[in-house]
Amino acid sequence: MSTAVSPLAPLHVPEMPAIAGVRLATAAAGIRYAGRTDVLLVLLDEGTAAAGVFTRSKCPSAPVEWCRAHLKKGKARVLVVNSGNANAFTGKSGRDACKFTAQIASRAAGCKPEDVFLASTGVIGEPLKAQAFEGVMEGLVARAQAGDFLAAARAIMTTDTFPKVATATAKIGKATVTINGIAKGAGMIAPDMATMLSFVFTDAAISSPALQSLLKDGADDTFNAVTIDGDTSTSDTLMMFASGQSGAPRIARASDPRLKGFKKALHAVLANLSEQIARDGEGARKLVEIVVEGAVSKASARRIAMSI
């Protein structure tokens, strides 16, 4: 996580409303650095639908493999994300770390391990010491509450210079539903998302097959249209969770005309997050260096970058 903020960082950070059926907590587990939050736990109400889009790398990380294997069920109760270690190129030890993390999270949350989804970001090729989660998991579950998506976005940062959040609302029937998203990713950005993580939450009631279709379509011209340095990594993860707690009618098909406004709002959130990732790429870092050296003002650097 950088201390110099990209000159292309958003000028305003939106207020992120709470979403019914979604509770969050963060902790410092010492995965790689002492004294900084590096674990995010999200508790999801029973019946929450899940969808996901992942890397096309032929060497996916252990968490990506775990999520793919359990996404077929289409339901989720817990999301655990860590920064500092990507748990990639770690072989059997990486798979064991996923299994161990899911077991302690499910035990603390009172669900099954297959209801737990995992994501990791950070250094590649080093074993993830999942025992570190054991010291914080019960506390995370106990503290989890609706609300602080900005803290959640900070907990998953690695080389990012600012937390990335976005929100939107839409009508489904007569009910208003909310969509919140967080993301991280600054280096190694390429089509199919590269080294980025993003998690989107809504209180809409949408079936998992419909949610999967909506997410895939939304990613095609947002996250999958971003490129900075041509690299593709092992850990690309974009997941969406629908708690169904808004009071809106349940939607079973992505083609349902009642989703027209929701599709537009979802696209806006995905586009906003993917743009923030691009703004925080390594080209922006060079502008940061120029600003720090005093060659141009922050405002001038912003104008230069936006004109490229």
Side-chain angles (χ1 to χ4, degrees):
M1 181 168 56
S2 176
T3 56
V5 178
S6 166
L8 300 182
L11 298 177
H12 304 286
V13 179
E15 290 289 333
M16 299 293 288
I19 290 185
V22 178
R23 292 174 289 152
L24 311 94
T26 63
I31 301 298
R32 186 167 181 82
Y33 303 106
R36 62 151 292 186
T37 56
D38 54 10
V39 181
L40 165 65
L41 173 93
V42 183
L43 294 181
L44 304 158
D45 277 8
E46 190 168 356
T48 295
V53 180
F54 305 95
T55 181
R56 293 183 186 176
S57 169
K58 295 186 183 301
C59 299
S61 68
V64 167
E65 291 181 325
W66 175 274
C67 289
R68 281 177 172 159
H70 297 288
L71 192 60
K72 298 171 186 177
K73 186 178 177 182
K75 300 294 181 182
R77 292 294 311 282
V78 180
L79 171 68
V80 179
V81 186
N82 76 270
S83 59
N85 187 308
N87 195 10
F89 295 114
T90 48
K92 184 179 183 298
S93 71
R95 294 189 293 273
D96 289 343
C98 285
K99 184 177 180 180
F100 179 79
T101 304
Q103 286 174 338
I104 61 173
S106 65
R107 188 163 56 245
C111 65
K112 298 177 181 178
E114 55 264 34
D115 295 328
V116 177
F117 286 85
L118 307 170
S120 299
T121 181
V123 296
I124 291 174
E126 293 184 8
L128 173 62
K129 298 177 181 178
Q131 290 76 13
F133 298 131
E134 201 165 25
V136 300
M137 195 63 68
E138 289 189 3
L140 283 166
V141 170
R143 295 195 315 274
Q145 59 185 350
D148 204 344
F149 285 90
L150 192 59
R154 288 194 179 101
I156 66 174
M157 290 169 60
T158 51
T159 58
D160 303 68
T161 71
F162 60 87
K164 298 160 182 66
V165 296
T167 185
T169 59
K171 285 278 191 178
I172 297 180
K174 295 182 179 180
T176 298
V177 301
T178 301
I179 306 169
N180 283 358
I182 65 174
K184 65 79 53 186
M188 292 179 70
I189 306 302
D192 302 317
M193 298 177 297
T195 186
M196 62 74 70
L197 303 180
S198 184
F199 307 99
V200 181
F201 307 90
T202 181
D203 51 7
I206 302 175
S207 72
S208 55
L211 200 68
Q212 183 67 40
S213 179
L214 292 170
L215 187 63
K216 183 179 183 302
D217 288 347
D220 282 345
D221 63 351
T222 57
F223 286 109
N224 286 345
V226 176
T227 183
I228 290 178
D229 55 19
D231 294 322
T232 300
S233 93
T234 60
S235 306
D236 321 358
T237 297
L238 167 61
M239 293 199 72
M240 186 170 181
F241 304 92
S243 72
Q245 300 299 312
S246 64
R250 179 173 172 78
I251 305 296
R253 302 185 313 277
S255 60
D256 192 310
R258 292 174 292 179
L259 284 176
K260 181 178 180 181
F262 184 88
K263 289 178 180 178
K264 184 176 180 180
L266 175 59
H267 187 275
V269 168
L270 297 179
N272 188 318
L273 292 172
S274 58
E275 181 180 318
Q276 288 185 59
I277 288 173
R279 285 170 178 263
D280 207 14
E282 293 179 2
R285 304 296 166 73
K286 293 297 182 182
L287 286 175
V288 171
E289 292 174 9
I290 293 172
V291 172
V292 171
E293 291 169 2
V296 297
S297 68
K298 184 174 181 179
S300 296
R302 187 181 184 89
R303 288 195 296 272
I304 292 168
M306 292 305 289
S307 68
I308 295 175

